[in-house]
Amino acid sequence: MTDHTGRAGLEREELYAVAHEFDKLRTEISVPGTPRELPDLATASKHLATLTGLLKDLSDEVVFRVAEDDPGIDLGPVIYAYTSAASLAGQATENYTEAYVQLGFLRRYADAPETKELRDARHAAFLIVQERTATVRDDLTDAARGLRRSADRLDGTPPRTLAALSRSARPTNSIYRLPPQAPAPGPTQLAYTPTPRHAR
């Protein structure tokens, strides 16, 4: 049996590291309180690229683990943590894209003659950016929190210790699989031998 001791710890550290990347982006994205606080398109483009990069990183983490062919490891809990975070990263990307479109609109008409319609449109665009960036920050917070919770719950009981535990005492959130147990030998049964007939 391959010794997988320490693998759970490595998976836990990786989950924490990815959660940190979500937290880091969240601190970079602020909710504008006034139109003057809106991010410029260059900054917003970097934020959007980072978001899509996080989504790609999550899918890469899943592909790497799905491809692993080790009968002693069950990475289901880890994979689920990444796919759940990917859902939130996708929502954050969608929300930031909506804000991005509005920033493009504001840039397009930045030097246009002032009219009531344009003033109203600019205000509506600002409100959308404000709402969407707030939602993005919530999405990033939820993704980071979910990854950390998954890491906290990941059991690190060494495989040999796990094998020694009774079935009821084994943790359900372990990534280790127990080796298949051979069926216990039953009582030896002889083939049926018919009683010989005595000659009459």
Side-chain angles (χ1 to χ4, degrees):
M1 174 178 163
T2 303
D3 185 6
H4 298 297
T5 302
R7 178 61 185 272
L10 292 174
E11 292 294 342
R12 189 182 298 115
E13 289 176 10
E14 187 64 24
L15 287 166
Y16 286 138
V18 177
H20 175 72
E21 292 303 312
F22 277 87
D23 283 334
K24 182 180 175 183
L25 180 57
R26 182 184 182 277
T27 62
E28 295 175 5
I29 297 175
S30 59
V31 179
T34 67
R36 290 185 179 182
E37 296 175 1
L38 288 168
D40 57 62
L41 272 173
T43 300
S45 296
K46 290 177 182 178
H47 290 161
L48 190 57
T50 303
L51 261 174
T52 56
L54 282 174
L55 193 54
K56 181 183 182 302
D57 290 346
L58 289 167
S59 61
D60 287 345
E61 296 289 354
V62 171
V63 168
F64 173 75
R65 285 161 180 80
V66 167
E68 183 164 347
D69 185 18
D70 189 329
I73 294 290
D74 175 15
L75 295 175
V78 180
I79 291 170
Y80 183 68
Y82 286 127
T83 56
S84 298
S87 174
L88 290 163
Q91 292 176 26
T93 302
E94 180 182 356
N95 282 312
Y96 202 86
T97 301
E98 289 294 329
Y100 192 66
V101 171
Q102 301 305 318
L103 293 172
F105 167 80
L106 292 171
R107 172 66 182 268
R108 168 69 178 83
Y109 293 101
D111 299 324
E114 185 75 17
T115 64
K116 181 182 182 306
E117 289 76 14
L118 182 56
R119 187 167 55 252
D120 291 344
R122 285 172 175 161
H123 182 65
F126 165 73
L127 292 178
I128 291 173
V129 173
Q130 190 178 52
E131 176 189 7
R132 295 293 178 161
T133 51
T135 304
V136 167
R137 285 171 56 87
D138 289 342
D139 292 335
L140 295 174
T141 297
D142 290 344
R145 184 181 294 124
L147 288 165
R148 284 196 179 88
R149 284 178 178 169
S150 295
D152 291 341
R153 288 194 300 262
L154 202 63
D155 182 73
T157 303
R160 292 181 182 180
T161 303
L162 199 66
L165 296 174
S166 66
R167 186 171 299 276
S168 61
R170 290 175 197 148
T172 58
N173 54 343
S174 174
I175 66 169
Y176 302 123
R177 282 197 179 104
L178 297 179
Q181 301 292 326
T188 304
Q189 294 182 351
L190 300 176
Y192 171 70
T193 304
T195 304
R197 295 183 178 182
H198 297 286
R200 294 180 180 177

